[in-house]
Amino acid sequence: MDFKVLTVDDLSSVMELENSVFVSDAWSSESMRSEIESPNNFYLGLFEDGLIGYAGLSTIPGSFSSDIQTIAVSSAARGRGIGRALMQELLRKAKAQGSEQVLLEVRIDNQVAISLYASLGFERIDVRKRYYQPDNVDAVIMRLRITQPLVLGIESTCDETGVGIVRGNRLLANALHSSMDEHSKYGGVVPEVAARAHLEAIAPTLNKALAEAGVQMKDIDAIAVANGPGLAGALMVGIGAAKGLALANDKPIYAVNHLIGHVGADVLERGYVQLPTIALLVSGGHTSLLLVRDLLGDAVLLGETIDDAAGEAFDKVARVLGLPYPGGPQIDKLAATGDPKAIRFPRGLSLPKDMEKHRYDFSFSGLKTAVARYVEKAEADGETINPADVAASFREAVVDVLLTKALNACAEFGVDRLLLGGGVVANARLREVAQQRCEAAGIELRIPRFSLCTDNGAMIASLGAQLVMSGHAPSSLGFGAESTLEVTVVQSP
């Protein structure tokens, strides 16, 4: 016997079994097609020389609840545990999607089914009178409660110390401490300063998260920590704290990928990540374009920066214009009064000659240099520049190349969804143009709230929870900091 996720290609087999099992209660072919095609539904079939059973689950994103839509087993295959096997697979799916309860309705005269559901932990909560027509039979409403794992996540890849706590897909706490002010005097992140700041901030940030969630360490089911990519010294602080907490409290530990954590943050915004998606992650340390088909097992790095990250370019151009660190917010504010078409700055790796080797890679070093040369030349010639125009034109070049490559990826891979993450997503022009261009291209744009876009512990906790809910084994205590961790490695063993 083989389980198979059903598609509309299986519709005729499903309807043959549907009509033979339910007779007067059978759904129409049109209704069944709609059920199978719905992105919120999961239909599973069991085959043995043809379809012998099927069942359907519906989960509305963000509801934390699933519904058993239907279950059917052919008369010849009954008494072999087929119904139980189908139900167990649906319940595993519901748990993996973060559901905290599963509901179903069953005919009051179907005692065999009621007994099966009760044996799986369902309880009777209500009755709907004369629900099943034309037979005029009552429906018993049953519910199974699911206790999702309580996971604590630690983030320390760069200059922000984050501790988040989630229960399944539900966000309970997201405490954050930034050492940005300490780095501002140097005009950028200094790794040694970042590591020292993490050491000082980790304990109070942990306590803040526990208080915000209203839990204690003894209540935590698992600990997740970002072990890369990032600054090695900063990573070691978070990893050391996570390992210490795991050993002291006898908790399993999950070492997870920081970049995949950014994708997983959308789980906390909408209930679960709808896949596949193209993910554009833009920050001071990373500019990466990913194709994610499975959050825990199929993420492909399409391209990344070959020199400066976008956020780093903002900081360096801000310095050229005499603006303080961090440069992103300063340039965004200045650009608001400038003309984005005043100066045509270059779009890195966008010429035809670049596309074969660097189709989805980014380069902002040349753009940064072009801005510096423009300002230097104007000063040398005694000309007065308009800083707002320079800022707006620079920002426009960055936004243009980011979104052009991201939307090209959506088109090439047939993915109608784009997820933005990272601190640079706070840029007003990036969000504005992304909305316009995605609407024009028929692409769904997903941008988590800003507190989940920047580096944070909640996204690490969320990714850890996905691993726990999907039955992945914990990491060993032998893992270390991986400053160049590949995006294909979701969890380090």
Side-chain angles (χ1 to χ4, degrees):
M1 294 187 295
D2 297 308
F3 285 110
K4 176 192 171 187
V5 177
L6 298 177
T7 69
V8 290
D9 293 338
D10 303 298
L11 184 60
S12 61
S13 298
V14 171
M15 287 310 302
E16 182 178 349
L17 186 53
E18 171 81 5
N19 288 317
S20 69
V21 170
F22 295 109
V23 191
S24 61
D25 290 334
W27 288 352
S28 68
S29 179
E30 292 76 13
S31 295
M32 185 63 76
R33 173 185 288 272
S34 177
E35 282 286 310
I36 293 174
E37 288 183 328
S38 171
N40 296 326
N41 291 351
F42 173 76
Y43 270 74
L44 191 67
L46 194 55
F47 290 80
E48 184 183 70
D49 297 326
L51 183 66
I52 60 174
Y54 65 86
L57 182 79
S58 177
T59 307
I60 304 300
S63 68
F64 304 103
S65 179
S66 293
D67 292 273
I68 304 295
Q69 296 294 84
T70 186
I71 181 169
V73 178
S74 69
S75 57
R78 291 174 188 169
R80 297 167 50 191
I82 304 297
R84 179 177 295 274
L86 286 166
M87 283 294 297
Q88 288 172 334
E89 290 299 314
L90 293 193
L91 295 181
R92 271 192 281 272
K93 181 70 173 180
K95 183 174 183 180
Q97 289 184 327
S99 294
E100 297 171 0
Q101 66 173 8
V102 180
L103 300 168
L104 61 79
E105 295 162 347
V106 57
R107 289 173 63 114
I108 199 168
D109 57 2
N110 191 346
Q111 289 302 313
V112 172
I114 291 174
S115 296
L116 167 63
Y117 303 145
S119 71
L120 292 169
F122 283 84
E123 58 180 346
R124 177 171 168 167
I125 60 172
D126 204 353
V127 173
R128 289 183 176 173
K129 294 294 185 181
R130 298 176 292 281
Y131 180 77
Y132 290 100
Q133 297 296 329
D135 297 343
N136 208 35
V137 174
D138 295 347
V140 176
I141 302 173
M142 304 184 77
R143 176 178 61 198
L144 172 69
R145 294 185 182 277
I146 299 175
T147 300
Q148 294 288 10
L150 188 65
V151 180
L152 182 147
I154 296 176
E155 157 67 32
S156 67
T157 59
C158 191
D159 62 337
E160 287 161 321
T161 309
V163 180
I165 299 174
V166 304
R167 182 176 292 283
N169 292 346
R170 191 184 293 272
L171 176 62
L172 301 183
N174 188 19
L176 191 68
H177 176 272
S178 175
S179 57
M180 188 180 298
D181 290 343
E182 298 173 53
H183 298 287
S184 61
K185 67 186 75 170
Y186 306 106
V189 176
V190 179
E192 293 80 4
V193 173
R196 171 67 66 179
H198 287 308
L199 279 170
E200 296 172 351
I202 190 69
T205 307
L206 170 65
N207 292 333
K208 181 180 178 182
L210 291 170
E212 185 179 330
V215 299
Q216 301 177 35
M217 273 306 305
K218 65 181 179 64
D219 303 317
I220 299 296
D221 295 312
I223 295 168
V225 61
N227 74 312
L231 302 175
L235 286 166
M236 285 189 280
V237 176
I239 291 170
K243 288 183 177 181
L245 289 170
L247 283 169
N249 296 278
D250 193 24
K251 306 294 183 182
I253 191 169
Y254 291 79
V256 303
N257 192 302
H258 166 83
L259 291 179
I260 301 299
H262 275 295
V263 182
D266 200 38
V267 170
L268 301 176
E269 193 68 58
R270 300 173 185 263
Y272 62 85
V273 178
Q274 287 190 299
L275 300 171
T277 188
I278 296 295
L280 177 61
L281 310 179
V282 194
S283 67
H286 304 285
T287 302
S288 306
L289 192 62
L290 314 180
L291 168 60
V292 185
R293 295 190 181 95
D294 183 330
L295 185 64
L296 304 183
D298 189 356
V300 178
L301 179 64
L302 300 178
E304 60 186 341
T305 182
I306 63 172
D307 41 56
D308 292 343
E312 188 178 3
F314 271 95
D315 292 335
K316 291 178 177 178
V317 169
R319 194 177 310 143
V320 169
L321 295 176
L323 302 173
Y325 176 86
Q330 300 296 330
I331 286 183
D332 209 24
K333 182 179 179 180
L334 180 60
T337 59
D339 179 3
K341 297 180 180 180
I343 310 157
R344 176 68 184 184
F345 287 126
R347 273 66 169 160
L349 298 182
S350 295
L351 296 175
K353 66 182 180 66
D354 301 316
M355 297 304 284
E356 182 176 349
K357 186 177 179 181
H358 296 291
R359 181 170 179 77
Y360 295 120
D361 287 326
F362 302 92
S363 172
F364 296 105
S365 179
L367 171 60
K368 168 203 67 181
T369 302
V371 175
R373 295 291 176 267
Y374 176 87
V375 174
E376 289 170 3
K377 184 178 184 303
E379 291 175 346
D381 294 343
E383 298 176 359
T384 300
I385 67 167
N386 184 329
D389 284 350
V390 175
S393 298
F394 162 74
R395 183 179 68 170
E396 196 71 6
V398 174
V399 169
D400 185 21
V401 73
L402 287 173
L403 293 177
T404 295
K405 287 178 179 275
L407 291 174
N408 284 347
C410 289
E412 179 176 340
F413 295 98
V415 176
D416 61 359
R417 192 171 295 110
L418 175 61
L419 171 68
L420 301 186
V424 177
V425 174
N427 187 280
R429 184 62 177 165
L430 176 60
R431 298 168 78 98
E432 176 188 3
V433 177
Q435 189 68 50
Q436 293 170 354
R437 294 181 64 171
C438 283
E439 286 182 3
I443 301 296
E444 178 190 3
L445 178 65
R446 302 172 78 95
I447 308 176
R449 75 195 80 161
F450 182 62
S451 62
L452 295 176
C453 282
T454 57
D455 294 347
N456 64 87
M459 71 183 192
I460 302 303
S462 176
L463 184 53
Q466 302 307 306
L467 291 165
V468 175
M469 293 187 293
S470 296
H472 288 243
S475 302
S476 71
L477 287 172
F479 71 87
E482 301 283 349
S483 58
T484 58
L485 185 66
E486 297 287 340
V487 72
T488 51
V489 181
V490 177
Q491 177 192 2
S492 297

Short mmCIF file of all heavy atoms in Angstrom, two decimals, residues 11 14-15 18-19 23-36:
data_model
loop_
_atom_site.label_atom_id
_atom_site.label_comp_id
_atom_site.label_asym_id
_atom_site.label_seq_id
_atom_site.Cartn_x
_atom_site.Cartn_y
_atom_site.Cartn_z
N LEU A 11 -9.04 12.65 -9.71
CA LEU A 11 -10.43 12.98 -9.44
C LEU A 11 -11.40 11.85 -9.80
O LEU A 11 -12.32 11.55 -9.03
CB LEU A 11 -10.82 14.26 -10.18
CG LEU A 11 -12.24 14.79 -9.93
CD1 LEU A 11 -12.44 15.10 -8.44
CD2 LEU A 11 -12.50 16.04 -10.77
N VAL A 14 -11.26 9.18 -7.18
CA VAL A 14 -11.84 9.66 -5.93
C VAL A 14 -13.37 9.66 -6.01
O VAL A 14 -14.06 9.21 -5.08
CB VAL A 14 -11.32 11.08 -5.61
CG1 VAL A 14 -12.09 11.68 -4.43
CG2 VAL A 14 -9.83 11.05 -5.30
N MET A 15 -13.91 10.14 -7.12
CA MET A 15 -15.36 10.21 -7.25
C MET A 15 -16.00 8.81 -7.32
O MET A 15 -17.11 8.61 -6.81
CB MET A 15 -15.73 11.02 -8.49
CG MET A 15 -15.49 12.52 -8.34
SD MET A 15 -16.21 13.23 -6.82
CE MET A 15 -17.94 12.79 -7.00
N GLU A 18 -16.03 7.87 -3.74
CA GLU A 18 -16.95 8.77 -3.04
C GLU A 18 -18.40 8.34 -3.22
O GLU A 18 -19.17 8.23 -2.26
CB GLU A 18 -16.76 10.20 -3.56
CG GLU A 18 -17.79 11.23 -3.09
CD GLU A 18 -17.50 11.78 -1.70
OE1 GLU A 18 -16.44 11.45 -1.14
OE2 GLU A 18 -18.35 12.55 -1.19
N ASN A 19 -18.78 8.05 -4.45
CA ASN A 19 -20.17 7.67 -4.73
C ASN A 19 -20.52 6.30 -4.17
O ASN A 19 -21.66 6.07 -3.74
CB ASN A 19 -20.42 7.70 -6.24
CG ASN A 19 -20.47 9.11 -6.79
OD1 ASN A 19 -21.08 10.00 -6.20
ND2 ASN A 19 -19.81 9.35 -7.92
N VAL A 23 -22.97 7.48 -1.22
CA VAL A 23 -24.24 7.37 -1.93
C VAL A 23 -25.01 8.70 -1.87
O VAL A 23 -24.67 9.63 -2.58
CB VAL A 23 -25.09 6.20 -1.39
CG1 VAL A 23 -26.27 5.92 -2.32
CG2 VAL A 23 -24.24 4.94 -1.23
N SER A 24 -26.00 8.81 -1.00
CA SER A 24 -26.85 10.02 -0.98
C SER A 24 -26.11 11.25 -0.44
O SER A 24 -26.51 12.39 -0.70
CB SER A 24 -28.10 9.77 -0.13
OG SER A 24 -27.75 9.47 1.21
N ASP A 25 -25.02 11.03 0.35
CA ASP A 25 -24.26 12.15 0.92
C ASP A 25 -23.07 12.54 0.06
O ASP A 25 -22.29 13.41 0.43
CB ASP A 25 -23.72 11.79 2.32
CG ASP A 25 -24.84 11.68 3.34
OD1 ASP A 25 -25.88 12.34 3.14
OD2 ASP A 25 -24.66 10.95 4.33
N ALA A 26 -22.90 11.90 -1.08
CA ALA A 26 -21.69 12.11 -1.89
C ALA A 26 -21.59 13.53 -2.40
O ALA A 26 -22.59 14.16 -2.77
CB ALA A 26 -21.68 11.12 -3.05
N TRP A 27 -20.35 14.05 -2.44
CA TRP A 27 -20.09 15.36 -3.02
C TRP A 27 -20.14 15.27 -4.54
O TRP A 27 -19.91 14.21 -5.13
CB TRP A 27 -18.72 15.87 -2.61
CG TRP A 27 -18.62 16.29 -1.17
CD1 TRP A 27 -19.63 16.41 -0.28
CD2 TRP A 27 -17.42 16.64 -0.48
NE1 TRP A 27 -19.16 16.81 0.94
CE2 TRP A 27 -17.80 16.97 0.85
CE3 TRP A 27 -16.09 16.73 -0.83
CZ2 TRP A 27 -16.88 17.37 1.81
CZ3 TRP A 27 -15.16 17.12 0.12
CH2 TRP A 27 -15.56 17.44 1.42
N SER A 28 -20.41 16.40 -5.16
CA SER A 28 -20.37 16.45 -6.62
C SER A 28 -18.91 16.47 -7.08
O SER A 28 -17.99 16.79 -6.32
CB SER A 28 -21.08 17.70 -7.13
OG SER A 28 -20.35 18.87 -6.78
N SER A 29 -18.71 16.14 -8.35
CA SER A 29 -17.36 16.18 -8.91
C SER A 29 -16.78 17.58 -8.84
O SER A 29 -15.59 17.76 -8.57
CB SER A 29 -17.39 15.68 -10.36
OG SER A 29 -16.11 15.72 -10.92
N GLU A 30 -17.61 18.60 -9.07
CA GLU A 30 -17.14 19.98 -9.02
C GLU A 30 -16.68 20.37 -7.61
O GLU A 30 -15.65 21.02 -7.43
CB GLU A 30 -18.24 20.94 -9.47
CG GLU A 30 -18.60 20.85 -10.95
CD GLU A 30 -19.46 19.61 -11.27
OE1 GLU A 30 -19.98 18.97 -10.32
OE2 GLU A 30 -19.60 19.30 -12.46
N SER A 31 -17.45 19.94 -6.60
CA SER A 31 -17.08 20.24 -5.21
C SER A 31 -15.78 19.55 -4.84
O SER A 31 -14.90 20.14 -4.18
CB SER A 31 -18.19 19.81 -4.26
OG SER A 31 -19.36 20.56 -4.46
N MET A 32 -15.63 18.29 -5.25
CA MET A 32 -14.42 17.56 -4.92
C MET A 32 -13.20 18.16 -5.62
O MET A 32 -12.12 18.26 -5.03
CB MET A 32 -14.57 16.09 -5.32
CG MET A 32 -13.39 15.22 -4.89
SD MET A 32 -13.17 15.14 -3.08
CE MET A 32 -14.52 14.01 -2.65
N ARG A 33 -13.37 18.57 -6.86
CA ARG A 33 -12.27 19.22 -7.57
C ARG A 33 -11.82 20.49 -6.82
O ARG A 33 -10.62 20.73 -6.64
CB ARG A 33 -12.68 19.58 -8.99
CG ARG A 33 -11.63 20.41 -9.76
CD ARG A 33 -12.14 20.85 -11.12
NE ARG A 33 -12.20 19.73 -12.03
CZ ARG A 33 -11.17 19.33 -12.79
NH1 ARG A 33 -10.02 19.99 -12.74
NH2 ARG A 33 -11.30 18.31 -13.60
N SER A 34 -12.79 21.29 -6.39
CA SER A 34 -12.48 22.51 -5.66
C SER A 34 -11.74 22.20 -4.36
O SER A 34 -10.80 22.91 -3.99
CB SER A 34 -13.77 23.28 -5.37
OG SER A 34 -13.51 24.43 -4.60
N GLU A 35 -12.16 21.13 -3.69
CA GLU A 35 -11.50 20.73 -2.45
C GLU A 35 -10.04 20.35 -2.69
O GLU A 35 -9.14 20.79 -1.97
CB GLU A 35 -12.25 19.54 -1.84
CG GLU A 35 -13.52 19.90 -1.12
CD GLU A 35 -13.24 20.57 0.21
OE1 GLU A 35 -12.44 20.03 0.99
OE2 GLU A 35 -13.81 21.65 0.46
N ILE A 36 -9.81 19.54 -3.69
CA ILE A 36 -8.46 19.04 -3.95
C ILE A 36 -7.54 20.17 -4.42
O ILE A 36 -6.35 20.20 -4.08
CB ILE A 36 -8.51 17.90 -4.99
CG1 ILE A 36 -9.22 16.68 -4.39
CG2 ILE A 36 -7.11 17.52 -5.46
CD1 ILE A 36 -9.44 15.54 -5.38
#
